[in-house]
Amino acid sequence: MTDTPAKTWTSALDPAAKRNVWTAMKRGFVGRCPNCGEGKLFRAFLKVADNCSVCGQDFTAHRADDLPAYLVIVIVGHLLVPVILWIETDYSPAIWLQLAVYLPFTLFASLALLQPVKGAVVGLQWAFRMHGFGDGNPD
């Protein structure tokens, strides 16, 4: 019986695995196809297109689900809470003024970030070949 050394998988062993994660996420963040960077990723505000109009990349396999919303909550919360605490401790404005400023800011910041974050998540899934973006069977 001969012992064969176990091979460790690296991206160099699989030439098809060369998808740049950061490039795909940046392209998705600006609403472009993570594959070619030219076609539109969204057909509506949060509806991902079925495929890229330029390269034909199929997007029906994406499963962003609730992750973009969770990430937007974390991002907006980390931006807004320190500002709220600073203003409250240094200036102590009236509650009605705080609500009149913080609630619209939270709403608009959340809406402004939701589509870019969802695009980045789809780009991440494409780069990692998750949920049918790979060459094998979809999960």
Side-chain angles (χ1 to χ4, degrees):
M1 185 167 143
T2 60
D3 289 332
T4 58
K7 289 186 179 181
T8 302
W9 183 90
T10 63
S11 61
L13 295 175
D14 186 7
K18 299 199 189 238
R19 290 182 176 176
N20 189 311
V21 175
W22 296 112
T23 301
M25 288 179 67
K26 284 184 224 172
R27 288 174 177 172
F29 189 83
V30 295
R32 296 291 174 201
C33 171
N35 186 23
C36 68
E38 299 294 323
K40 290 185 177 181
L41 183 60
F42 295 97
R43 62 182 161 93
F45 179 62
L46 290 177
K47 296 286 184 186
V48 176
D50 291 335
N51 54 35
C52 176
S53 60
V54 176
C55 69
Q57 173 69 48
D58 181 24
F59 298 128
T60 57
H62 90 86
R63 298 290 177 259
D65 298 331
D66 292 336
L67 180 61
Y70 294 140
L71 293 176
V72 166
I73 290 169
V74 169
I75 293 167
V76 172
H78 277 82
L79 292 175
L80 193 60
V81 168
V83 172
I84 290 173
L85 291 175
W86 168 65
I87 290 174
E88 179 62 32
T89 56
D90 286 357
Y91 303 106
S92 189
I95 295 294
W96 67 267
L97 180 62
Q98 293 182 56
L99 292 175
V101 173
Y102 302 146
L103 290 178
F105 177 81
T106 303
L107 175 69
F108 292 128
S110 299
L111 289 175
L113 283 174
L114 199 51
Q115 186 184 41
V117 170
K118 184 171 183 173
V121 169
V122 173
L124 179 76
Q125 290 177 350
W126 176 84
F128 284 146
R129 300 177 189 271
M130 296 169 65
H131 307 294
F133 282 126
D135 299 328
N137 294 333
D139 293 344

